Amino acid sequence: MTQPFIGKYSDRRPDTSPVWKRLEEHSQSIVHSDLREMFERDPQRFARFSLANGDLLVDYSKNLITDETLHLLLELAREAGIESAREAMFGGGRINWTENRAVLHVALRRRAEGALFLEDHDIMPDVRRVLERMRKFCHDLRSGLIRGASGKKIGAVVNIGIGGSDLGPVMISEALRHYQNGPTLRFVSNVDATDFVEKTRDLKPEETLFIVASKTFTTQETMTNARTARQWLFEGLKDWSAVSKHFVALSTNSDAVREFGIPAERQFEFWDWVGGRFSSWSAIGLSIAIGIGFDRFEELLDGAFEMDEHFRHQPLEENIPVILALLGIWYRNFLGAATQAILPYDQYLHRFAAYFQQADMESNGKRVDRDGEILEYDSGPVLWGEAGTNGQHAFFQLIHQGTQLIPCDFIGFVHSLNPVGDHHRKLMANFLAQTEALMRGRRPGEIGDDCPDELRPHKVFPGNRPTTSILLDRLTPRSLGKLIAMYEHKIFVEGVIWRINSFDQWGVELGKELAKKILPEAEALASGANPDLSRHDSSTAALMRRIFAPDGDEERG
Amino acid sequence: MTQPFIGKYSDRRPDTSPVWKRLEEHSQSIVHSDLREMFERDPQRFARFSLANGDLLVDYSKNLITDETLHLLLELAREAGIESAREAMFGGGRINWTENRAVLHVALRRRAEGALFLEDHDIMPDVRRVLERMRKFCHDLRSGLIRGASGKKIGAVVNIGIGGSDLGPVMISEALRHYQNGPTLRFVSNVDATDFVEKTRDLKPEETLFIVASKTFTTQETMTNARTARQWLFEGLKDWSAVSKHFVALSTNSDAVREFGIPAERQFEFWDWVGGRFSSWSAIGLSIAIGIGFDRFEELLDGAFEMDEHFRHQPLEENIPVILALLGIWYRNFLGAATQAILPYDQYLHRFAAYFQQADMESNGKRVDRDGEILEYDSGPVLWGEAGTNGQHAFFQLIHQGTQLIPCDFIGFVHSLNPVGDHHRKLMANFLAQTEALMRGRRPGEIGDDCPDELRPHKVFPGNRPTTSILLDRLTPRSLGKLIAMYEHKIFVEGVIWRINSFDQWGVELGKELAKKILPEAEALASGANPDLSRHDSSTAALMRRIFAPDGDEERG
C-alpha cells in the first residue's frame, strides 16, 4: 500500500457528476421511447450503432439508446478517466491497489517485440520463457516423447483446479472441441468427491496425467482433489515415485509443489500480476494447449492481442469494449437492470456464460469504492445464460413477457464448423428472429381477429427489449480469443466507472475462514464427541449436528 | 374458453389488498433489522423456522423474516385462494385457462389406488397403461430382447428433444448417474448441428436408438435433429426400414409419428394436461428409465408423490412449498430481489439450476393477470446457479459483497454417494460456512488490528444475506423426486399469488413465427437472390445479408 494510488483516475464519484444527473433525466425520456419507431425514423441506425474489428461485428443498434445517450455515456467515461486507466493497465500500473499488484494479463498475449516494464523489470522474457516451456511440453506429451511411469503414452489429461484455474480451461476447451486432437481432457474442480470419481472412472492410471492448477498450491478443493488423485495413481501403479511422471503443477509456490512430489521441470509458473479469472492465457491454459496443440493455443493469444490493440488505441466512441461497458452502465444504473444475459448461438459455447459469470461477477460484485466509501449506486449485475436455441425453450418467456428488463448479448457465427443440411440457417434465423421479436414486440392491433378477447392480452409482446448482436465469421481459436478479451476489457471499463477494484476478491475470504473453523468441529462431531457449538447460531449448529453425526459416510467409507 | 373461469381463486388483486400494504410497511422495518441479532435474541429461531418431511429438512431460519412476516405472508396466501387453487389442480380443474387445460402432472406420479376424473373420464388407467408399456420397453431394451435392425444389442440411447423434452431428462439422468446401469445416454437438443455431430461422433448406428421427444412432433429443432438422425442411421445401415427398429417417439401426434416411420408400438403417449416443463414424470422420462431401470424410475415418482401428499394436505403454515413460495414473494415484491440463486452442493446436480431456470422462468415470467390486466407488481425472478463449492470460486463474491440482494437456496445431502477421505466433510463445511457467513457478515470491529486502514472497508461483509438450507439424507431417485416436486409446487403457489397463468407460454410464440418468416428469405439470400427485406429494420436486414451471404457453409456442406 506504499505505491502511488494508481487505482484512482478521477477524483469525482460518478453519481455526483452533472452528467450522471443528466443521464438520469435522459433515462426518463428513453423509457417512453420506442425502438421500433427509432428504426423507422432513422434508416442509418444500424450503420451508426455498429462497430467492426476484422471479422467481428458488434451491432448495438437494438439497444434503448439515442445519440444523446451515447454522448452522455461517453462523457461519463471520459470523466471517469477511462483513457488513463487503460494506459495504467497496459503500462503495468498497480491498478489492483488493494493487493498492490499490476494487472497484466494483456502481457501474456502481447504478440509484439520489445520490453514491457513492471517497475524496472522487463516481464516479457519471463512470459516468453514459460510459453516456450509450455510449447515443448505440449509437443513432447502429444508426440509421446513424454510418457507415464510404465512407459505408456499419456492418453488422458485431468486438470485439477477451481474457479479461475478451471472455468477458463473448461470453457475454452469445450469451445474449441472441434480442434481437439490431443489426449482426452477432463476437468475436476468440486471438492465433492463425485467430481473426481465420475471424471476418472474410465481412466487408466498409467496413461493419465494430472495438472494441478493453483496459484498458491493451497486451495482447499484443489489440494484435496490433488491428494486423492495421487492416492488413485498409487493404487493403480503401486509406486509413489510415479507421481513425478504423472503430475504437473501450475503454480507460483515452488516449495509446496516440490513437497507434493512434482519436480521443478514439471512446474509452470505465472505471476502475481495474473488474476485467476484472467489466467487462461498463462500456464493455467496448459490443458487447452495440450488439447488443441500449442500453435492453436497461440492463435487464441493472437486473437486476444488483436482486441487488446483495438481497445488500447481506438477512441472511446469507436471502441467496442468501451461501448459495451457503457451499455452495461446504462442498463444497470439508469434503467434498473439487475442482470445481463449472454446467449451464444453455438453449442460449443455452452459454458461461455458460466465462464463470464465468474469473470464479471467476481470482478464487479463490489460495494466499496476507491476511497473506501460504500457505493450509493449499483455495481455489477448477475450474469447468466445458456446456449441458443435451447434458451428459447427455457427462459426466453421471461425475457419477452416478464416484468424486468434484461439486456441480452446474442453471439453467433456466420459459418458453422459442422455444416449439416439447413441446421445452421435455422439456428441463425432463430438468432435474428429473437432479436427482432424482442425489439419489435407485438401490439394489440397486430394480433389476428380470430383470437378470443380473453387471450389477446397474453399474446401482446411489449417489445423494446434490448439486445446486442455480436457476430464473427467462424469459431476459431483466434475469434474466441478476441471475444474473450472483448468481454475482459468491458468488465474493466465498467469497474473504472464504478470506481471499484475489479481485480481483488475479498468477498471470498470470510466463507473460507469459517469453513476452516467448522472443519475440526465437524471432525469432533463425526467421532462422537460433543464439541461446544455455542459460537454458532441455532441454525448452523442444528445443521452441523445433523450433517456430521457419527454414522456419517466418512467413517464407513 | 367455455369452461368456468377456474383460474380465478380470488377476486382481488394482491397489491390492492390491505395485507400487501402492511407487508410493504413491514418490509421497511425488516431492511433495518439484523439476522445475527434475531438469532441471538431467539434461541428457538431454528426450531420455529424449519420444516421437515421424512428425511427432507428445510431450514428457512436464515431468511430476513420474523413471525410477523410469515403471519402477513400467510394471510396474503389465504386471500389469494391457495387452498382452493391447490384443490383445483389436484382435482383436474382447467387451471391453465388460456389453453383450457387441466394441469395434472401430479396424476403421473399418483401412487394411489382409485380414479382421478378429468371431467367424466378417469385418467388413471391411461397413466398406468403407458407406465406399463414403458416398463416393458425398458426391460426388453435393457435385457437385449429389443435389438437393432442388424440384431445387435442397443448400446446407446440418444434423446432428441428441447426445452421440457430435454432439460428434465438431462438433469435427472445426470443427477442419478450413480444409478446408471443401462446403455450410454446422450441428449441432443440444439438445432446447431454441432450438438448432434458431437454427441453421435463415437456412436455406432446399428447399436443406437433415438428417442424423439416432441408433444406435437413439429418442434423445429427436434424434427430437424430427428431427420438428421434418420439420415445418419441410413448412411450407417443403408436401409430405410431400420428406422422402425432404431426410433421411438414420445408424442401425442400419431399421424406425424407414423409418417416419420415409427410404428405405433414404438410411440409412447402423454396428454394435453402434461405441460412440457413438468413432463419428466410422463413418457418424456423414458430415457431416464432406460438409464436407471424402471424400478428406480418409479422411486422417482414415489418421491414426488410424497411431496404431492405433503403439499396437498398440510396446512399452509407447515407446508414446505407454500413457505418457499412465500419467501419468494417476500423477496421479489417487498425486498426488491430480481433473481433467485439455487446452489446444490452436489456435483451430480450440476444441471439442477438450469432445469429450474426453465420450470420457474417459463412458468412465472408473465406480465398479464387473470383478468388480462398488466401487472403492476413484479412476477417471476431470474433463476440461476451452479454447483457448490464451484460457485464459491466464481460468483459468490457478488452475493457476499455486491449491491443487490440475492436469496439463495443451498441444497445438500448428509451422506455422499462417493465417500472418499474427508471430501464430503469439507464440502458440507463449506455449505454451512457460506450460509453462516452470508447471514453474519463481518463488521468493521471484527477485522484484525493488523489490517491497514485503506483495506478495512474491503474486508467488511454486510451480512443479512438470506439463505434457505435444504437438506436430504442421500441423493436417491426418491429424494430427487421429492425435491423436484417441492419446487414445482413452489412455482405454482407463487403464480397463484401473482394471479398469473403459470402453465402457458405465449411468450415463446413470436420468435418462432418470425424465425419461420426469415427462413425462406435466408434461403433466397443464400441462393444469390435479392429478396425484399424492407419489412425488417436496418439491423436485422444487415445481419441477414451478412449471415446468409451465398458463400455460406450450407452450400458447401
Side-chain angles (χ1 to χ4, degrees):
Chain A
M1 306 300 293
T2 56
Q3 294 294 317
F5 198 45
I6 293 180
K8 200 165 171 176
Y9 313 106
S10 160
D11 284 334
R12 182 180 256 162
R13 277 175 45 178
D15 59 332
T16 63
S17 159
V19 73
W20 186 277
K21 307 291 164 202
R22 280 158 62 205
L23 277 160
E24 283 180 338
E25 286 158 26
H26 176 64
S27 71
Q28 296 307 308
S29 70
I30 286 290
V31 293
H32 297 108
S33 67
D34 177 16
L35 263 176
R36 207 200 276 203
E37 265 175 37
M38 292 189 213
F39 271 106
E40 280 162 13
R41 269 204 311 270
D42 174 12
Q44 296 305 309
R45 187 172 168 88
F46 165 77
R48 281 189 307 117
F49 293 144
S50 57
L51 287 168
N53 174 267
D55 71 328
L56 169 66
L57 173 69
V58 175
D59 167 14
Y60 59 101
S61 64
K62 288 190 182 111
N63 281 284
L64 290 164
I65 55 166
T66 64
D67 285 328
E68 171 76 357
T69 323
L70 268 191
H71 175 79
L72 292 170
L73 288 167
L74 284 161
E75 194 175 325
L76 185 71
R78 290 211 169 79
E79 279 190 6
I82 296 298
E83 283 135 322
S84 56
R86 186 172 62 178
E87 267 321 290
M89 178 172 76
F90 280 98
R94 294 183 183 257
I95 63 171
N96 175 359
W97 70 89
T98 60
E99 299 181 299
N100 192 28
R101 290 178 183 165
V103 175
L104 277 171
H105 46 276
V106 293
L108 301 167
R109 59 215 190 193
R110 184 164 169 272
R111 318 296 286 167
E113 300 293 312
L116 197 170
F117 283 96
L118 177 53
E119 274 95 55
D120 54 358
H121 175 69
D122 177 11
I123 61 172
M124 289 312 297
D126 302 333
V127 169
R128 294 184 190 115
R129 177 173 42 78
V130 175
L131 284 175
E132 281 314 305
R133 288 188 58 215
M134 287 169 69
R135 176 195 298 280
K136 180 163 175 8
F137 187 81
C138 281
H139 174 268
D140 292 354
L141 185 77
R142 287 162 54 94
S143 66
L145 280 170
I146 287 176
R147 290 175 178 254
S150 70
K152 284 262 177 79
K153 199 174 167 187
I154 296 297
V157 171
V158 182
N159 186 82
I160 299 178
I162 195 164
S165 301
D166 170 66
L167 282 164
V170 169
M171 183 278 277
I172 295 170
S173 294
E174 285 292 298
L176 300 178
R177 181 174 279 273
H178 181 79
Y179 304 91
Q180 299 287 348
N181 54 9
T184 299
L185 292 184
R186 298 277 164 82
F187 297 89
V188 172
S189 51
N190 201 329
V191 75
D192 182 358
T194 289
D195 204 13
F196 182 85
V197 169
E198 291 291 345
K199 301 275 175 61
T200 55
R201 193 183 285 290
D202 59 342
L203 301 185
K204 300 190 182 92
E206 56 186 338
E207 298 172 13
T208 301
L209 178 84
F210 291 97
I211 299 176
V212 183
S214 167
K215 198 190 235 183
T216 60
F217 230 64
T218 60
T219 312
Q220 186 193 46
E221 287 91 338
T222 302
M223 296 321 296
T224 303
N225 277 316
R227 284 187 292 267
T228 295
R230 193 170 57 181
Q231 184 68 30
W232 178 86
L233 187 79
F234 176 73
E235 281 165 19
L237 304 184
K238 307 293 178 203
D239 174 11
W240 283 115
S241 76
V243 170
S244 66
K245 296 277 193 188
H246 288 266
F247 276 82
V248 165
L250 315 178
S251 179
T252 56
N253 184 347
S254 305
D255 292 345
V257 168
R258 195 178 51 243
E259 271 171 42
F260 188 89
I262 300 174
E265 68 270 20
R266 292 268 175 125
Q267 179 190 347
F268 296 85
E269 65 190 297
F270 48 111
W271 306 275
D272 73 355
W273 42 264
V274 180
R277 53 194 176 275
F278 304 100
S279 63
S280 301
W281 322 100
S282 74
I284 290 293
L286 185 63
S287 55
I288 304 168
I290 289 172
I292 60 176
F294 199 79
D295 290 348
R296 295 260 190 224
F297 182 74
E298 286 196 302
E299 290 170 28
L300 185 78
L301 305 184
D302 291 341
F305 180 61
E306 279 176 37
M307 180 50 66
D308 293 342
E309 291 287 287
H310 168 91
F311 174 58
R312 188 172 188 177
H313 299 298
Q314 287 301 305
L316 301 191
E317 42 276 279
E318 290 161 34
N319 197 305
I320 292 171
V322 170
I323 295 293
L324 292 177
L326 293 177
L327 291 169
I329 298 279
W330 175 234
Y331 292 117
R332 186 84 184 99
N333 297 108
F334 301 97
L335 296 178
T339 82
Q340 156 84 47
I342 293 196
L343 308 167
Y345 273 61
D346 191 298
Q347 187 61 25
Y348 284 126
L349 294 183
H350 66 105
R351 293 301 284 165
F352 195 78
Y355 174 75
F356 279 102
Q357 205 164 50
Q358 178 190 30
D360 201 317
M361 293 172 70
E362 193 160 88
S363 295
N364 289 341
K366 307 284 163 72
R367 60 189 280 279
V368 171
D369 77 5
R370 288 171 191 157
D371 299 317
E373 300 294 327
I374 294 173
L375 302 184
E376 293 185 12
Y377 45 88
D378 277 313
S379 60
V382 170
L383 194 145
W384 60 285
E386 294 280 340
T389 58
N390 289 5
Q392 295 174 202
H393 294 261
F395 49 77
F396 270 51
Q397 163 70 40
L398 187 141
I399 299 177
H400 281 284
Q401 290 191 322
T403 57
Q404 57 180 308
L405 177 80
I406 299 172
C408 300
D409 282 1
F410 280 70
I411 300 169
F413 298 90
V414 174
H415 301 293
S416 171
L417 296 176
N418 293 298
V420 176
D422 63 355
H423 282 250
H424 193 64
R425 193 172 296 152
K426 284 177 175 159
L427 176 71
M428 296 310 287
N430 274 284
F431 172 119
L432 291 163
Q434 290 296 332
T435 63
E436 195 176 34
L438 287 163
M439 182 274 282
R440 293 184 64 80
R442 181 161 60 193
R443 295 176 184 170
E446 294 164 354
I447 297 165
D449 292 337
D450 52 334
C451 179
D453 282 349
E454 313 91 279
L455 267 190
R456 302 182 78 86
H458 300 274
K459 295 196 158 197
V460 170
F461 289 71
N464 251 358
R465 311 230 157 176
T467 62
T468 301
S469 295
I470 297 164
L471 201 62
L472 287 141
D473 194 48
R474 197 181 298 269
L475 176 51
T476 62
R478 182 183 289 263
S479 64
L480 182 67
K482 195 183 236 186
L483 198 58
I484 298 170
M486 176 188 84
Y487 278 113
E488 286 180 350
H489 295 317
K490 173 201 184 216
I491 292 164
F492 166 67
V493 171
E494 288 181 332
V496 172
I497 295 176
W498 285 322
R499 282 167 69 84
I500 56 179
N501 183 350
S502 298
F503 302 105
D504 60 13
Q505 54 280 320
W506 299 105
V508 306
E509 296 301 323
L510 182 58
K512 279 191 207 172
E513 286 169 26
L514 296 189
K516 272 184 200 148
K517 285 189 192 165
I518 286 175
L519 208 50
E521 294 166 337
E523 279 157 20
L525 285 166
S527 71
N530 187 20
D532 176 14
L533 302 182
S534 63
R535 70 176 187 86
H536 295 287
D537 59 90
S538 60
S539 158
T540 305
L543 293 172
M544 284 177 71
R545 289 191 193 283
R546 180 153 176 158
I547 294 169
F548 302 123
D551 61 342
D553 282 313
E554 308 295 339
E555 274 45 61
R556 290 185 281 119
Chain B
M1 305 300 291
T2 55
Q3 293 295 316
F5 197 46
I6 293 180
K8 200 165 171 177
Y9 314 105
S10 160
D11 284 333
R12 182 179 256 161
R13 277 175 46 178
D15 60 331
T16 63
S17 158
V19 73
W20 186 277
K21 306 291 164 203
R22 280 157 63 204
L23 277 160
E24 283 180 339
E25 287 159 28
H26 176 63
S27 72
Q28 294 308 307
S29 71
I30 285 290
V31 294
H32 296 108
S33 68
D34 177 14
L35 263 177
R36 205 199 277 203
E37 264 175 38
M38 291 190 214
F39 271 107
E40 280 162 11
R41 269 205 312 270
D42 175 11
Q44 295 305 309
R45 188 172 167 90
F46 165 77
R48 281 190 305 117
F49 293 145
S50 57
L51 287 169
N53 173 266
D55 71 327
L56 169 66
L57 174 70
V58 175
D59 167 15
Y60 59 100
S61 63
K62 287 188 183 113
N63 280 284
L64 289 163
I65 55 166
T66 63
D67 285 329
E68 172 75 358
T69 322
L70 269 191
H71 175 78
L72 292 170
L73 288 167
L74 284 161
E75 194 175 324
L76 184 71
R78 288 211 170 79
E79 278 190 6
I82 296 298
E83 283 136 321
S84 56
R86 186 172 62 179
E87 266 322 289
M89 177 171 76
F90 280 99
R94 294 184 183 256
I95 63 172
N96 175 358
W97 71 88
T98 61
E99 299 181 298
N100 192 28
R101 289 178 185 166
V103 175
L104 278 172
H105 45 277
V106 293
L108 301 166
R109 60 216 190 191
R110 184 164 168 271
R111 317 297 285 167
E113 300 293 313
L116 199 169
F117 283 96
L118 179 52
E119 274 93 55
D120 53 359
H121 176 69
D122 178 10
I123 61 171
M124 289 311 298
D126 302 334
V127 169
R128 293 185 191 115
R129 176 174 41 80
V130 175
L131 284 176
E132 280 315 303
R133 288 188 58 214
M134 288 169 69
R135 176 194 299 280
K136 180 163 177 2
F137 186 81
C138 281
H139 175 268
D140 291 355
L141 185 78
R142 287 162 54 95
S143 66
L145 280 171
I146 286 177
R147 288 173 179 256
S150 70
K152 283 263 177 79
K153 199 174 167 188
I154 296 297
V157 171
V158 182
N159 187 83
I160 300 178
I162 195 165
S165 301
D166 171 66
L167 283 164
V170 169
M171 183 278 276
I172 295 170
S173 293
E174 285 291 298
L176 300 179
R177 180 174 280 273
H178 181 79
Y179 303 92
Q180 300 288 349
N181 55 8
T184 298
L185 292 184
R186 297 278 165 80
F187 298 89
V188 172
S189 51
N190 202 329
V191 75
D192 181 358
T194 289
D195 204 14
F196 182 85
V197 169
E198 291 290 346
K199 300 275 175 63
T200 55
R201 194 182 284 291
D202 60 342
L203 301 186
K204 300 190 182 92
E206 56 186 337
E207 299 172 11
T208 301
L209 178 83
F210 291 97
I211 298 177
V212 184
S214 167
K215 199 192 235 182
T216 59
F217 229 64
T218 59
T219 311
Q220 187 192 45
E221 288 91 338
T222 302
M223 295 321 297
T224 304
N225 277 316
R227 285 188 292 268
T228 295
R230 195 170 56 181
Q231 184 67 31
W232 178 86
L233 188 78
F234 175 74
E235 281 165 18
L237 303 184
K238 306 293 178 203
D239 174 10
W240 284 116
S241 77
V243 170
S244 66
K245 296 277 194 188
H246 288 265
F247 276 84
V248 165
L250 315 178
S251 180
T252 56
N253 185 347
S254 304
D255 292 346
V257 168
R258 196 179 49 243
E259 270 171 43
F260 188 88
I262 299 173
E265 68 270 20
R266 291 269 175 125
Q267 180 191 346
F268 296 85
E269 65 190 297
F270 48 112
W271 306 275
D272 73 355
W273 42 264
V274 180
R277 52 194 177 274
F278 304 100
S279 63
S280 300
W281 322 99
S282 74
I284 290 293
L286 185 63
S287 56
I288 304 167
I290 289 172
I292 60 175
F294 200 79
D295 290 348
R296 295 261 191 222
F297 182 73
E298 286 197 300
E299 290 169 26
L300 186 78
L301 305 184
D302 291 340
F305 180 61
E306 278 176 37
M307 180 50 66
D308 293 342
E309 291 286 287
H310 168 90
F311 174 59
R312 187 171 189 178
H313 299 297
Q314 287 299 305
L316 302 191
E317 41 276 280
E318 290 161 34
N319 196 307
I320 292 170
V322 171
I323 295 293
L324 292 177
L326 293 176
L327 292 169
I329 298 280
W330 176 235
Y331 291 117
R332 186 84 184 100
N333 297 107
F334 301 98
L335 297 178
T339 82
Q340 156 83 46
I342 293 197
L343 308 167
Y345 272 61
D346 191 299
Q347 187 61 26
Y348 284 126
L349 295 183
H350 67 104
R351 293 300 283 166
F352 195 78
Y355 173 75
F356 279 102
Q357 206 164 51
Q358 177 190 30
D360 201 317
M361 294 172 69
E362 193 161 88
S363 295
N364 288 340
K366 307 285 163 71
R367 61 189 280 279
V368 171
D369 76 6
R370 287 172 193 154
D371 300 316
E373 299 293 326
I374 294 174
L375 302 184
E376 293 187 11
Y377 45 87
D378 277 313
S379 60
V382 171
L383 195 144
W384 60 286
E386 294 280 340
T389 58
N390 289 7
Q392 295 174 201
H393 295 261
F395 49 77
F396 270 51
Q397 164 71 41
L398 187 142
I399 299 177
H400 281 285
Q401 290 190 323
T403 58
Q404 58 181 308
L405 177 79
I406 299 172
C408 300
D409 283 1
F410 280 69
I411 300 169
F413 298 90
V414 173
H415 301 293
S416 170
L417 295 176
N418 293 298
V420 176
D422 63 355
H423 281 250
H424 193 65
R425 193 173 295 152
K426 283 175 175 159
L427 176 71
M428 295 310 288
N430 275 283
F431 172 119
L432 291 162
Q434 291 295 333
T435 64
E436 195 176 33
L438 287 163
M439 182 275 282
R440 294 184 64 81
R442 181 161 60 193
R443 296 176 181 169
E446 293 164 355
I447 297 165
D449 292 337
D450 53 335
C451 179
D453 282 349
E454 313 90 279
L455 267 190
R456 302 183 77 85
H458 301 273
K459 295 198 159 197
V460 170
F461 290 71
N464 253 358
R465 312 233 156 173
T467 61
T468 301
S469 295
I470 296 164
L471 202 62
L472 287 142
D473 194 48
R474 196 181 299 269
L475 177 51
T476 61
R478 181 183 291 263
S479 64
L480 183 66
K482 196 182 234 185
L483 198 58
I484 298 170
M486 177 187 83
Y487 277 112
E488 286 181 349
H489 295 317
K490 173 201 185 216
I491 292 164
F492 166 66
V493 171
E494 288 181 333
V496 172
I497 294 176
W498 284 322
R499 281 168 68 87
I500 57 180
N501 183 351
S502 298
F503 303 104
D504 60 13
Q505 54 279 321
W506 300 104
V508 307
E509 296 301 323
L510 182 58
K512 280 190 207 171
E513 286 169 26
L514 296 189
K516 272 183 202 150
K517 285 189 193 166
I518 286 175
L519 208 49
E521 294 166 338
E523 280 157 19
L525 285 165
S527 71
N530 188 20
D532 177 13
L533 302 183
S534 63
R535 68 176 188 88
H536 295 287
D537 59 273
S538 60
S539 158
T540 305
L543 294 171
M544 284 176 71
R545 290 191 192 282
R546 178 152 176 158
I547 293 169
F548 302 122
D551 62 342
D553 283 313
E554 309 294 341
E555 275 43 61
R556 292 185 280 119

